[in-house]
Amino acid sequence: MKIQHIFFDLDNTLWDHRKNAYLTIKSLFEKEEINLKYNIDFEEFHSVYHEINERLWEDIRDGIIDKEYLRKHRFYDTFNNFGVDDEELSMYFEEHFLDKILNHNELVEGAEYILEYLKAKNYTLHIISNGFKEVTERKCILSGIDKYFQTITSADSVGVRKPRPEIFEYSLSLSDAIKENSILIGDDWIADVIGAKNFGMDVIFFDVLNENREEEGLKVIKHLLQIKEYL
């Protein structure tokens, strides 16, 4: 059946979370003079934060922890790694991070072009995100890409996250889509690729981190403009 509906992951597929988070944390780090007070190098701090945050998001995806645990621990565990046991400082970073990150709305290279291209070809576009509901829609609005999407689904609306089939089912139920005329595009191997395939939906893996996974019949892109090779 011909593809009519395209479902995009949001963070690091269209909205450049890695870049926007980096800029936000750097701004907070400098404002609070963390280097001066604790002699911590920002690049080292960010590297540790990134590793901890990625691991916690994997635990959320797998249902091991909830978002409140992540919010309490990602900065606390990062500071603790440098010998700074300060819950108040950690929560200050957490609260301001979620607010200030929306001041940065860098998109992944080629995002707006490819959305225009797909819209012009009369595909119906959607978002399925594992992110927090309170920021998912605002990311789309503030970056100016909300106008492209018929529906925006965030995991909090469903109570489960990709790769669970319920979130795909829920997102399809908001539209006129069926899995046979739909395709997902995302950068997370487990959440997006395994999730979509297990649900029975076609998928394009956006290999933004050059994981170079090989699987027969797998559609892979390294840049968003390569979507044109498939759609």
Side-chain angles (χ1 to χ4, degrees):
M1 188 177 286
K2 186 182 177 186
I3 296 297
Q4 298 173 38
H5 294 266
I6 302 172
F7 292 81
F8 278 94
D9 171 56
L10 182 61
D11 286 342
N12 298 317
T13 299
L14 296 172
W15 198 83
D16 198 336
H17 182 83
R18 290 185 186 90
K19 184 184 288 185
N20 294 325
Y22 177 91
L23 294 170
T24 304
I25 297 168
K26 193 169 196 286
S27 175
L28 287 169
F29 193 90
E30 290 171 352
K31 181 176 181 291
E32 292 305 304
E33 300 181 323
I34 300 302
N35 177 258
L36 191 66
K37 292 176 183 174
Y38 303 106
N39 195 30
I40 302 172
D41 175 74
F42 172 71
E43 295 299 335
E44 286 183 37
F45 180 87
H46 178 263
S47 178
V48 171
Y49 164 82
H50 179 72
E51 186 177 323
I52 288 170
N53 187 55
E54 290 286 303
R55 188 168 65 246
L56 289 171
W57 270 107
E58 287 172 5
D59 288 346
I60 277 193
R61 180 198 66 206
D62 297 340
I64 298 168
I65 63 171
D66 60 17
K67 70 176 185 180
E68 295 309 319
Y69 185 94
L70 177 139
R71 292 195 61 191
K72 184 177 179 181
H73 280 272
R74 59 180 166 185
F75 284 106
Y76 179 78
D77 291 358
T78 302
F79 275 111
N80 212 29
N81 182 81
F82 293 95
V84 180
D85 184 357
D86 190 331
E87 196 169 326
E88 188 178 339
L89 176 64
S90 303
M91 286 314 296
Y92 172 88
F93 262 69
E94 176 62 33
E95 287 160 12
H96 285 76
F97 173 76
L98 284 180
D99 185 45
K100 301 295 185 186
I101 194 170
L102 295 172
N103 292 339
H104 303 281
N105 282 288
E106 298 283 337
L107 295 172
V108 174
E109 187 178 10
E112 196 143 21
Y113 174 91
I114 204 66
L115 291 173
E116 281 284 352
Y117 167 83
L118 295 171
K119 200 75 172 175
K121 293 194 73 175
N122 295 316
Y123 290 106
T124 304
L125 309 181
H126 311 268
I127 291 285
I128 306 182
S129 172
N130 271 358
F132 300 153
K133 187 179 191 303
E134 58 267 32
V135 294
T136 297
E137 290 184 9
R138 289 175 69 197
K139 285 176 178 178
C140 292
I141 291 166
L142 293 172
S143 64
I145 61 173
D146 61 304
K147 62 189 177 187
Y148 295 106
F149 301 106
Q150 183 189 77
T151 66
I152 297 174
T153 300
S154 55
D156 290 358
S157 305
V158 197
V160 298
R161 288 176 158 75
K162 297 176 289 182
R164 290 277 295 277
E166 295 92 333
I167 189 169
F168 295 97
E169 196 70 66
Y170 177 86
S171 193
L172 262 65
S173 74
L174 296 180
S175 66
D176 296 324
I178 56 174
K179 63 178 76 175
E180 289 80 9
N181 69 1
S182 302
I183 192 167
L184 176 76
I185 301 169
D187 71 298
D188 188 293
W189 179 258
I190 294 175
D192 297 317
V193 179
I194 301 300
K197 288 178 73 173
N198 286 347
F199 180 64
M201 193 159 114
D202 201 0
V203 61
I204 296 174
F205 176 42
F206 182 22
D207 189 12
V208 67
L209 296 179
N210 292 311
E211 296 178 49
N212 294 316
R213 294 179 182 268
E214 293 182 10
E215 192 172 296
E216 188 178 352
L218 179 66
K219 299 178 178 71
V220 182
I221 59 171
K222 301 277 190 175
H223 190 286
L224 287 176
L225 299 193
Q226 292 176 299
I227 288 171
K228 294 167 76 172
E229 297 172 14
Y230 298 108
L231 297 165

